[in-house]
Amino acid sequence: MKAAVLATLGATLASGAVIWDGRFNDLKTAQDLATWSWSNQVGPYQYYIHGSGAVNKYIELSASYKNPNDTVSKQGAKFTLDSTAFWNGQNMRRIELIPQTKAAIASGKVFYHFSIMRKDTNAPSVNREHQICFFESHFTELKYGWISGESGTSNPYLQWMTSQKSHWKTEWKPNVWHNVAYEINFGGGSVGFWHSEGGDPLKQEVAPVSVSASSNGADWHLGVLELPRSGYSDASEDFYFSGVYIETGSITTAIGGPTS
């Protein structure tokens, strides 16, 4: 009995503390995102980087859009780049959410969690660069597709990069959930990379590397920015996200994270 109690206590201590929860559990529909504004900063996300259409042109929520191995998240999100997904007069297509929080998500050692998937339908182009789940300074991010300066015309790999340097990659196949955690030490200036597929627990794929880790707490972009490329026209592209949260303490390796 005593051993069981100690084991349970040890497991509890080993899990992290969620300091920001973006798992979409408190949203009834994507329209709830549109209630946020600079004068009405409510909900888990800032919603301002998007095209001119209604919110459901770019983001939809559904239980069918989450990693089915995630039992904590009630639903996931489908992010769509279409012919209207241009923000603020820019020539790049974008749809991104920013954490709305006063929590210390840019201080000390924290873990930024999310899961991502694509399908064959409205598949992201292998011929264009996609910057995914990035900070404004791009000290850590995922990238997909052909990157400027590469040889050839296409790139089928999902890559983890720090400051434009690739440290890990895998072919991004359809219907495979990739679970990711950025291990960021803002005080120590480093970031590591954790990853798994499907329902497997997260494993550290890349030990922390030195970076200029900085953030104002409102510049991590959940979503995607696609760079234009001459000769390749815009087509609708869908990206699926779930299990989004930030924790401090020890990393939670179970998919979906702690219950709160």
Side-chain angles (χ1 to χ4, degrees):
M1 178 67 178
K2 182 178 180 181
V5 170
L6 289 174
T8 300
L9 178 60
T12 301
L13 293 174
S15 63
V18 176
I19 56 175
W20 174 78
D21 195 337
R23 289 176 285 197
F24 306 110
N25 288 345
D26 296 331
L27 302 176
K28 292 183 179 179
T29 70
Q31 187 61 38
D32 290 343
L33 293 167
T35 62
W36 183 91
S37 67
W38 292 112
S39 60
N40 185 43
Q41 298 184 23
V42 296
Y45 287 106
Q46 298 179 8
Y47 176 69
Y48 65 92
I49 303 175
H50 54 78
S52 58
V55 62
N56 60 8
K57 283 181 65 69
Y58 311 114
I59 299 178
E60 293 183 359
L61 303 180
S62 171
S64 64
Y65 297 157
K66 76 180 184 73
N67 184 337
N69 301 284
D70 177 356
T71 60
V72 181
S73 298
K74 298 176 182 177
Q75 57 189 345
K78 179 175 72 172
F79 286 38
T80 297
L81 295 177
D82 67 7
S83 60
T84 71
F86 295 93
W87 173 64
N88 205 28
Q90 297 178 348
N91 67 346
M92 57 194 92
R93 297 195 297 174
R94 305 180 68 168
I95 176 62
E96 299 147 34
L97 296 175
I98 308 290
Q100 172 63 50
T101 182
K102 294 182 179 179
I105 64 172
S107 177
K109 184 177 179 179
V110 287
F111 296 89
Y112 281 59
H113 290 258
F114 62 93
S115 296
I116 183 172
M117 187 267 289
R118 75 165 182 89
K119 296 183 178 181
D120 271 331
T121 302
N122 292 343
S125 172
V126 296
N127 306 114
R128 299 171 72 165
E129 178 176 330
H130 302 83
Q131 301 171 359
I132 303 168
C133 296
F134 57 92
F135 284 85
E136 198 67 29
S137 67
H138 296 274
F139 74 84
T140 181
E141 65 187 322
L142 294 184
K143 284 194 178 185
Y144 177 68
W146 182 86
I147 298 173
S148 179
E150 289 184 330
S151 60
T153 59
S154 64
N155 187 332
Y157 290 99
L158 186 67
Q159 303 186 68
W160 176 61
M161 306 186 78
T162 64
S163 304
Q164 313 303 321
K165 180 180 180 180
S166 180
H167 299 272
W168 171 94
K169 65 181 181 179
T170 188
E171 184 177 356
W172 197 8
K173 297 179 180 179
N175 305 309
V176 177
W177 279 97
H178 291 273
N179 311 301
V180 170
Y182 300 150
E183 178 184 346
I184 305 172
N185 189 328
F186 283 100
S190 67
V191 59
F193 182 73
W194 295 66
H195 173 265
S196 73
E197 294 183 5
D200 292 342
L202 289 167
K203 296 191 303 181
Q204 189 184 69
E205 297 289 347
V206 182
V209 298
S210 179
V211 296
S212 296
S214 63
S215 171
N216 64 3
D219 70 337
W220 181 61
H221 300 244
L222 172 73
V224 57
L225 181 158
E226 181 192 61
L227 296 179
R229 185 181 179 194
S230 178
Y232 295 89
S233 59
D234 297 334
S236 291
E237 300 180 350
D238 293 334
F239 302 76
Y240 298 82
F241 294 96
S242 71
V244 186
Y245 67 98
I246 301 171
E247 68 178 341
T248 187
S250 300
I251 188 170
T252 300
T253 58
I255 304 310
T259 55
S260 60

